[in-house]
Amino acid sequence: MGRNADAVDEGVAIALAAARLSVKNAILVSTISLGESFDPQHFTGTARDALIALADEQDAASDAMSRARKAAWGRHTQPHGTHDYRDRDVRNLRRRAKQYAGVAKALRALAEDSEQLRDLVERARGAAWQDVETNLQGRLRVEAMRPEQDPDYEKMRDARMQALRLVDLQKLSAQARRKRKAAAGETTGAPS
């Protein structure tokens, strides 16, 4: 029983990490892209939906293992691939189906627990803030850094100069040509 319980606990932990990532992304989109204020109540539905979707995936995996177990029953030939199960795999497939079903049941219970949902949203908010903070620190470090403070300045200088010549100056030149053509079209009265 310990092996099944451990597998279910591990599956729930992995699923919670996936749900947290999903809620974190929803928080980032809502607050940064859409400019909305963070409201934990707004994201409890997102957290519940994420947990239910993951539980549905686990139920589907459990059903797949049950079908594979039934198909493997009584087959004693050599398998032709990784998922070509035989009679000797029946016990393992039964255990895997139970573990998937156990994870699904635990996730559904979490999805109905308002305290667990609030905790999931709060952890996702913390992860979202960590992403924003890391991004800001990186940008401030790079944009505010002076050449003598950058340990890779000399090593990367040639690549930056090449990018300036091949990309930035080419873009600037093309932009200037478009402006000249547009200005020439306006002075001659030709439609642009």
Side-chain angles (χ1 to χ4, degrees):
M1 187 61 191
R3 281 177 52 184
N4 276 340
D6 290 344
V8 168
D9 289 345
E10 186 175 326
V12 169
I14 292 168
L16 282 173
R20 186 171 46 251
L21 179 63
S22 177
V23 175
K24 176 192 83 164
N25 289 340
I27 291 170
L28 289 171
V29 168
S30 175
T31 58
I32 294 174
S33 297
L34 303 177
E36 298 172 352
S37 296
F38 174 76
D39 177 12
Q41 291 301 323
H42 176 74
F43 295 103
T44 55
T46 303
R48 182 179 296 106
D49 292 346
L51 290 172
I52 295 297
L54 290 165
D56 290 344
E57 286 180 18
Q58 295 299 303
D59 280 335
S62 178
D63 291 344
M65 289 299 106
S66 293
R67 285 191 306 277
R69 178 180 51 83
K70 289 174 185 171
W73 183 266
R75 294 177 73 192
H76 297 284
T77 59
Q78 288 295 316
H80 298 291
T82 306
H83 300 289
D84 188 19
Y85 300 112
R86 296 298 184 249
D87 193 73
R88 66 179 169 263
D89 300 312
V90 166
R91 186 172 163 205
N92 185 40
L93 292 169
R94 181 181 293 117
R95 181 175 43 248
R96 288 173 59 191
K98 285 182 181 180
Q99 290 167 351
Y100 285 128
V103 172
K105 182 179 178 183
L107 291 177
R108 289 186 197 291
L110 291 173
E112 297 306 317
D113 185 338
S114 59
E115 185 63 35
Q116 291 291 332
L117 291 172
R118 279 193 296 274
D119 182 58
L120 177 58
V121 170
E122 185 55 34
R123 288 175 185 263
R125 185 198 63 79
W129 176 245
Q130 182 65 41
D131 281 4
V132 170
E133 181 182 24
T134 300
N135 191 343
L136 285 173
Q137 285 178 352
R139 291 199 55 170
L140 288 172
R141 189 177 311 115
V142 170
E143 291 179 11
M145 188 178 292
R146 300 178 48 80
E148 63 271 6
Q149 295 172 324
D150 184 0
D152 295 328
Y153 180 79
E154 287 300 321
K155 183 168 61 172
M156 298 303 294
R157 186 176 187 281
D158 290 336
R160 286 192 306 275
M161 293 305 292
Q162 185 176 12
L164 175 70
R165 282 190 303 276
L166 297 176
V167 178
D168 297 331
L169 291 178
Q170 296 297 324
K171 267 191 205 176
L172 189 58
S173 177
Q175 191 178 38
R177 280 193 302 273
R178 283 193 303 273
K179 284 183 179 181
R180 282 195 302 271
K181 286 181 182 179
E186 288 176 11
T187 58
T188 60
S192 41

